[in-house]
Amino acid sequence: MEHKGLLVVSFGTSYPETRKKNIEHLETLLAEAFPDRTFYYAYTSGMIRKKLWERDQILIPSVKEAAQAALEDGITDLLVQPTHIMNGIENDQMKEDILGLESHFDKISFGDPLISSTEDQFAVIEALMEELPCLSDQEALVFMGHGSTHHANTLYAALDYAFKQAGYPGVYVGTVEAYPDVQAVLAQLREKDIRRVYLTPFMLVAGDHASNDLAGEETDSWNSLFRAEGYETSCILKGLGEYDGICDLYVRHARQALL
């Protein structure tokens, strides 16, 4: 008798509101898409798990703990769907943790992170632009990604290029912790006649980075830097898990993993 499980893995967030709107929203949709599978979830960030436990007494399992719990429940066939954006450090680590227990399962399937192919890039662009403001010639939309030291970071520059190819010349993609950074985006905007800039996170949750690095009051937040250059700004604090089309793509990746 096959016992099937679904494990949804996220980086995590310590912000309750955005956790509900993004991570838990997506977990619910994935659980509903696979009603024949017992649902499990995990966060990869030890720092966030520690904070949630100390502050709110919320106990979130690590990837290893969740996989171990599935084993103890008698799960033999495990489908793992990350809510990560790309095949970066967190995704590599997650696979390593689960494959350490591979011999105990009959079958393990991994769904792809959000953007794992060129096709995914254009599907993501379509999903986002359906719900974001239409831009006039004097407006720009700037996404703030996290950025990574992993070679997968080239995804952000490719995505910036893909937006333009998809017919959105006023859309730019930068990152907080890697390249292209905010200065690279500002340099591109200076060449255009842009008056107003919408700023929004390109992250699963609108958490710490969105509240502080993007929309914060400090002089080095993106909002402050764009204003200092003379742009009118408007922050859209919405995580990727709040876009229907993005959630659909995660579900599609989970289904494809079983084919």
Side-chain angles (χ1 to χ4, degrees):
M1 173 69 182
E2 238 186 359
H3 292 283
K4 298 178 178 181
L6 165 69
L7 169 56
V8 178
V9 178
S10 304
F11 179 78
T13 180
S14 61
Y15 284 63
E17 268 310 294
T18 195
R19 183 176 70 235
K20 286 189 188 75
K21 284 185 199 165
N22 294 279
I23 297 179
E24 290 174 7
H25 173 58
L26 190 47
E27 285 172 348
T28 301
L29 292 172
L30 282 159
E32 285 170 356
F34 298 94
D36 60 329
R37 290 178 177 268
T38 306
F39 173 74
Y40 301 89
Y41 63 95
Y43 283 4
T44 56
S45 170
M47 203 167 63
I48 287 171
R49 292 199 313 274
K50 184 171 186 275
K51 185 171 181 176
L52 286 173
W53 174 245
E54 289 174 357
R55 188 191 67 192
D56 307 325
Q57 283 68 60
I58 293 174
L59 189 59
I60 307 263
S62 67
V63 173
K64 282 181 181 169
E65 287 165 350
Q68 194 62 51
L71 273 178
E72 286 166 15
D73 290 344
I75 299 296
T76 53
D77 171 349
L78 187 65
L79 168 60
V80 184
Q81 179 58 49
T83 66
H84 302 143
I85 305 295
M86 60 186 188
N87 288 295
I89 297 166
E90 298 295 320
N91 213 60
D92 289 350
Q93 184 60 56
M94 171 205 75
K95 284 190 168 171
E96 206 176 292
D97 288 348
I98 287 175
L99 292 175
L101 296 166
E102 189 176 19
S103 59
H104 301 288
F105 289 98
D106 293 345
K107 185 183 177 191
I108 298 175
S109 313
F110 290 100
D112 285 331
L114 182 65
I115 300 183
S116 302
S117 66
T118 306
E119 188 189 345
D120 287 344
Q121 280 196 0
F122 288 101
V124 163
I125 289 170
E126 193 180 322
L128 293 172
M129 298 317 286
E130 266 176 17
E131 298 190 40
L132 285 162
C134 290
L135 303 173
S136 74
D137 293 345
Q138 295 188 319
E139 292 178 322
L141 171 65
V142 176
F143 283 100
M144 173 199 264
H146 189 275
S148 170
T149 51
H150 192 281
H151 60 80
N153 188 73
T154 50
L155 170 84
Y156 295 105
L159 190 62
D160 182 282
Y161 195 95
F163 266 109
K164 292 165 179 65
Q165 198 191 339
Y168 300 104
V171 178
Y172 299 84
V173 181
T175 68
V176 193
E177 296 188 3
Y179 181 83
D181 59 11
V182 66
Q183 295 305 332
V185 176
L186 282 166
Q188 288 186 71
L189 284 181
R190 282 183 202 117
E191 298 167 15
K192 313 276 193 301
D193 179 27
I194 300 292
R195 304 272 172 91
R196 182 186 183 88
V197 178
Y198 293 96
L199 298 165
T200 193
F202 190 81
M203 304 178 186
L204 183 74
V205 299
D208 190 45
H209 285 299
S211 304
N212 298 314
D213 300 318
L214 184 80
E217 293 302 313
E218 298 78 14
T219 51
D220 62 348
S221 78
W222 285 29
N223 194 31
S224 299
L225 292 169
F226 278 89
R227 280 190 179 162
E229 294 258 343
Y231 298 108
E232 277 178 49
T233 59
S234 180
C235 296
I236 302 168
L237 297 185
K238 185 173 174 178
L240 297 181
E242 291 174 62
Y243 295 87
D244 294 342
I246 297 286
C247 293
D248 290 346
L249 192 55
Y250 277 115
V251 172
R252 197 183 320 162
H253 283 178
R255 290 193 199 284
Q256 284 164 346
L258 299 175
L259 297 176

